Amino acid sequence: MSKLSALDRNRCIERLKQIEYDLLVIGGGITGAGIALDAAARGLKTALIERNDFASGTSSRSTKLIHGGLRYLKQFEIALVREVGRERAILHKNAPHLVPSERMLLPLVKDGSFGKFLTSLGLMVYDVLAGVESADQRKMLSKEETLEKEPLLDESVLEGGGIYAEYRTDDARLTIEVIKTAVQYGADCFNYISADDFIYENERVAGVQAKDQLARKTFTLKAKSVINAAGPWVDDLREKNHSLSGKHLHLTKGVHIVLPRAKFPLKQAIYFDVADGRMIFAIPRGLITYIGTTDTDYHGDKNRILTYKADVNYLLEATNNAFPSLKLTMDQVVSSWAGVRPLIHEQGKSASEISRKDEIFESDTGLLSIAGGKLTGFRKMAERIVDIVAKKHVDNYPDADISSCTTDKIPLTGGVFSGAKEVKVFKSSLVKRVQQYGFNEYIAFYLVSNYGKQSDTILSIFDGLNDKDIHQRFVKAECEFCIQQEMVFNLRDFFIRRTGRLYFDIDSVRTLKKVIADHMKAKFKWSEKRKEEELNLLDQEIWDVSTFEDV
Ligand code: FAD
């Protein structure tokens, strides 16, 4: 049985209680996941705990791009552009199905952010700094060529365009695959366990008082080093450690809205100007097109971040300005997501101006905290903080066999492909296979981009089921895989974080939720009451992403 099987949790938790770990990571977003993988691969005995589901914080609410950081160039953050450029190339190599390239169109309009010359120069510098391969390098386009790429653009103000290299991903799937890979290297990773307080020995942090949120039991978890990777909650834990002084977090909210592809039939991902001087993305993905993001200071509830009418209006107005023939309206928006960026506060800077750089803080009692940064830079962030932990460990235990960072060479689970070409071949073979079952091509795209090579396992589970309706049979196979290998405990884990269906195919959540609720009821031996409660919690999430109220 996989160490990430939801059916083996209690036994695994008993083991967790017995061990003194070299490193305990608090937080199962991309930052914590990356740290757990790096540390485990170096030979440190590592545990990770996440108080909710993996990626339930900011790491399921990003723009889902692995950026080269074009906007950082505008802010002259040259080192950051260089680093994230290198990082995305590594990520693409280690998970080409999950981090495919996505050519981004930058339309040039009358009185826009940049003229043709500056854009061409900027994109050229970006290519050099981000180390973009020659085939992917920027190309400047005439007005006609730009319109050919994207006929929906406003011809009356368009002057031309540039096309440059970006990569897209699914942030929550990236997080779960990094966690699964960490587990393969020996880490013990758990969702639904919170760090409620720290324990100390000789005035040094020596572990945490943990709580199993499913069994509602508290226990002590011991570790030689502890890293606080709690994203927007980093300062809450620093406060518990009595070390919240000096630099602190500045949370800014970002919203994305989702429209059916038929309503916004964008041919091509695009990064375009907003009248207030900002820029936003519109990205076609499977059945939908999503638009984002906003960037506003946030002081509300971090556990329930909502999309308000004003957020939707801002994004629709910007989009209708750039694509006037669309005339998009709020009732066409089928889903959305909202998240907060855990940035490091900089005096006098507005939400959009604050640097996205990461920083590490060490408290007097030895608690290491990490905040800021991007999804894209998670591997390098992990390397920097695990370097500190590994050095300390070797200083204290000179015989310990701890290697240096190797994560640049570790393929993520599901991503054992030689490159993008092999992904394409694999996808073509899947298209034929799913068509034989009666599915259309979309299911092959969905399987490959979510699960990579693991699609084979899901289809073999599918082969073993005998439901008449192929869509119900498929979603049950998928759910079974996620229960057995990805610690899915409820409908929200499955429909939001593991499959992204709440955002990318919300209708399928409405039609399939009861099938999955019955499947989970049987699997987890839920009572009828528990099943209804889980359905209500999912309905609340559907309401939150698709109903937009005034603030
Ligand atoms: P989180 O994902 O929030 O993880 C922290 C975790 O800690 C949470 O899951 C939380 O439940 C857990 N936790 C908190 N307290 C405790 C506790 N006491 N015990 C146990 N667990 C605890 N980056 C990019 O590279 N590309 C993009 O396109 C991009 N777009 C973005 C768009 C928006 C709108 C936003 C908001 C961010 C975007 N980012 C992007 C940035 C990126 O998403 C974040 O930097 C990243 O996801 C932060 O990950 P994290 O692990 O630090 O935080």
Side-chain angles (χ1 to χ4, degrees), residues 53-116:
D53 186 22
F54 300 124
S56 56
T58 305
S59 299
S60 53
R61 298 148 193 271
S62 76
T63 307
K64 306 178 196 298
L65 287 175
I66 298 297
H67 292 279
L70 188 61
R71 71 186 284 276
Y72 312 136
L73 191 60
K74 210 171 154 187
Q75 295 163 332
F76 296 104
E77 297 204 55
I78 304 295
L80 194 58
V81 181
R82 189 176 287 133
E83 181 173 304
V84 290
R86 272 201 300 259
E87 282 308 302
R88 62 180 198 171
I90 292 172
L91 265 178
H92 173 66
K93 180 179 71 138
N94 290 339
H97 68 292
L98 195 52
V99 185
S101 85
E102 176 89 53
R103 306 282 284 159
M104 190 67 68
L105 179 63
L106 192 71
L108 298 172
V109 294
K110 236 178 253 167
D111 305 323
S113 279
F114 307 108
K116 199 161 192 163

Side-chain angles (χ1 to χ4, degrees), residues 26-32 49-67 72 171 193-196 229-233 237 240 252-256 281 293-294 337-342 370-377 381:
I26 306 172
I30 192 64
T31 308
I49 54 171
E50 160 58 52
R51 72 183 178 142
N52 203 304
D53 186 22
F54 300 124
S56 56
T58 305
S59 299
S60 53
R61 298 148 193 271
S62 76
T63 307
K64 306 178 196 298
L65 287 175
I66 298 297
H67 292 279
Y72 312 136
D171 43 10
I193 294 184
S194 57
D196 288 355
W233 295 269
L237 283 168
K240 285 209 164 113
T252 78
K253 175 180 158 185
V255 166
H256 293 81
F281 293 98
T293 170
T294 60
W337 62 90
V340 286
R341 303 172 182 84
I370 183 161
K374 302 282 290 173
L375 192 72
T376 308
M381 285 168 74

Side-chain angles (χ1 to χ4, degrees), residues 69-304:
L70 188 61
R71 71 186 284 276
Y72 312 136
L73 191 60
K74 210 171 154 187
Q75 295 163 332
F76 296 104
E77 297 204 55
I78 304 295
L80 194 58
V81 181
R82 189 176 287 133
E83 181 173 304
V84 290
R86 272 201 300 259
E87 282 308 302
R88 62 180 198 171
I90 292 172
L91 265 178
H92 173 66
K93 180 179 71 138
N94 290 339
H97 68 292
L98 195 52
V99 185
S101 85
E102 176 89 53
R103 306 282 284 159
M104 190 67 68
L105 179 63
L106 192 71
L108 298 172
V109 294
K110 236 178 253 167
D111 305 323
S113 279
F114 307 108
K116 199 161 192 163
F117 175 71
L118 272 183
T119 303
S120 175
L121 188 70
L123 291 180
M124 193 175 79
V125 174
Y126 171 79
D127 279 345
V128 173
L129 290 177
V132 178
E133 285 179 12
S134 51
D136 267 352
Q137 285 184 355
R138 68 98 171 76
K139 202 172 160 227
M140 296 310 293
L141 307 174
S142 67
K143 177 175 173 170
E144 291 67 34
E145 286 168 326
T146 309
L147 275 172
E148 206 171 294
K149 290 260 175 239
E150 190 40 73
L152 289 170
L153 282 164
D154 184 1
E155 202 180 337
S156 67
V157 292
L158 192 69
E159 294 186 332
I163 196 137
Y164 69 98
E166 285 283 26
Y167 289 82
R168 89 177 136 72
T169 193
D170 182 297
D171 43 10
R173 287 246 31 112
L174 181 65
T175 305
I176 189 72
E177 299 299 3
V178 175
I179 283 176
K180 283 159 69 181
T181 312
V183 168
Q184 283 187 347
Y185 277 84
D188 290 327
C189 300
F190 288 88
N191 51 2
Y192 296 105
I193 294 184
S194 57
D196 288 355
D197 211 342
F198 295 97
I199 54 168
Y200 299 87
E201 273 171 24
N202 303 322
E203 296 180 16
R204 305 289 293 169
V205 169
V208 299
Q209 203 59 48
K211 184 168 184 189
D212 178 346
Q213 296 290 339
L214 301 182
R216 303 201 185 279
K217 285 186 188 150
T218 54
F219 59 95
T220 300
L221 197 43
K222 288 194 157 192
K224 296 186 177 84
S225 295
V226 178
I227 294 179
N228 163 17
W233 295 269
V234 155
D235 281 356
D236 300 5
L237 283 168
R238 290 172 74 208
E239 200 163 5
K240 285 209 164 113
N241 177 243
H242 313 290
S243 59
L244 181 54
S245 59
K247 289 198 173 177
H248 60 275
L249 290 190
H250 181 142
L251 302 182
T252 78
K253 175 180 158 185
V255 166
H256 293 81
I257 55 171
V258 177
L259 289 114
R261 192 81 173 265
K263 298 280 183 243
F264 189 1
L266 197 63
K267 268 175 73 180
Q268 137 94 56
I270 191 160
Y271 188 37
F272 61 97
D273 285 307
V274 183
D276 63 6
R278 294 186 61 248
M279 294 185 77
I280 61 173
F281 293 98
I283 301 174
R285 183 189 178 110
L287 308 170
I288 57 104
T289 297
Y290 65 91
I291 307 166
T293 170
T294 60
D295 199 355
T296 50
D297 288 336
Y298 189 73
H299 305 284
D301 181 358
K302 292 183 292 233
N303 298 309
R304 188 162 172 238

Side-chain angles (χ1 to χ4, degrees), residues 404-421:
S404 50
C405 175
T406 54
T407 49
D408 57 336
K409 295 178 197 69
I410 299 179
L412 300 183
T413 42
V416 193
F417 292 100
S418 59
K421 269 193 196 142

